[in-house]
Amino acid sequence: MTPQLELPLFPLGTVLFKNGRLPLHVFEPRYVNMIERAIQTDTGFGVVLLREGGEVHESGTTGVPPIYRVGTLASIGEHTRLSDGRYKIVAEGGAKISIENAWEQDDHLCMAHVRVEMDEPKAAIRESDKRLVDVLKQVVEATRSRGYVIDVDFEDASSVSMRLAEHIMMDVHYRQQLLEVSNAHRRLDLIWEWLHENSMRDG
């Protein structure tokens, strides 16, 4: 049986993958408090994609917003508390999580019981995917020139597929589909499909 945790959720308009890094500007009181607790207790939170709606709580609304049930356990890497109480942090992606049930606290922070999924095994790069590795190498080099380092194992299809899913421009709901896939080669197949469909559309 996979481990279960109770942890706060951070519903966002983006997707975080294992070993990914997500810069966040945290200003809502519910999330400022969440970040402070996470720093003090060295615990994490769940990053989940919103199905619809905005990230900021709207006055007069209650309940858990519409979210996908698969997300990522995040820990806090770099963090800076600003003079007005806001935080700038970098969330670092850990294990994939599946939400069992979720509820809203009085302060509108969403909590959930989640199942922590086993890490995806490493997989060899197929000959047919070497072009995608080349694409990712170009992305890595371009981001390095801007001072951002992408952590990737070019020999591991799991690592390559997740980094491509993060950095290729695509619909965020399709990116969620890539997160939910548990097989690296299947994820690369879906990336190929996305690239083919969009090149046909643009061409």
Side-chain angles (χ1 to χ4, degrees), residues 82-142:
L82 305 180
S83 59
D84 59 3
R86 295 173 297 152
Y87 275 94
K88 286 188 176 180
I89 71 167
V90 176
E92 299 179 346
K96 187 188 301 184
I97 56 175
S98 296
I99 297 173
E100 301 287 351
N101 65 296
W103 65 94
E104 184 187 56
Q105 296 186 153
D106 291 341
D107 62 356
H108 302 296
L109 181 68
C110 294
M111 299 291 296
H113 290 126
V114 306
R115 187 176 69 251
V116 181
E117 305 294 346
M118 298 293 290
D119 283 345
E120 190 173 290
K122 288 189 175 185
I125 297 294
R126 301 173 298 188
E127 187 67 29
S128 58
D129 293 325
K130 288 186 176 179
R131 285 173 56 198
L132 288 178
V133 173
D134 291 338
V135 169
L136 182 57
K137 286 181 177 179
Q138 293 174 16
V139 171
V140 168
E141 187 59 34

Side-chain angles (χ1 to χ4, degrees), residues 29 35 55 79-80 84 89 93 98 105 154 160 181 189 197:
I35 295 302
E55 297 176 351
H79 59 276
T80 302
D84 59 3
I89 71 167
S98 296
Q105 296 186 153
F154 290 109
V160 168
V181 169
D189 289 341
E197 290 175 5

Side-chain angles (χ1 to χ4, degrees), residues 3-67:
Q4 188 184 72
L5 296 175
E6 179 179 309
L7 77 165
L9 298 180
F10 204 158
L12 295 169
T14 191
V15 177
L16 178 64
F17 289 82
K18 183 176 176 60
N19 294 327
R21 300 173 76 248
L22 178 62
L24 293 170
H25 178 198
V26 183
F27 58 91
E28 285 192 79
R30 55 178 173 166
Y31 295 130
V32 169
N33 293 336
M34 179 190 77
I35 295 302
E36 288 178 341
R37 286 195 297 271
I39 293 171
Q40 292 168 4
T41 59
D42 194 26
T43 56
F45 54 92
V47 171
V48 292
L49 177 64
L50 286 160
R51 289 184 177 273
E52 59 185 46
E55 297 176 351
V56 178
H57 178 259
E58 296 183 11
S59 178
T61 62
T62 59
V64 178
I67 55 175

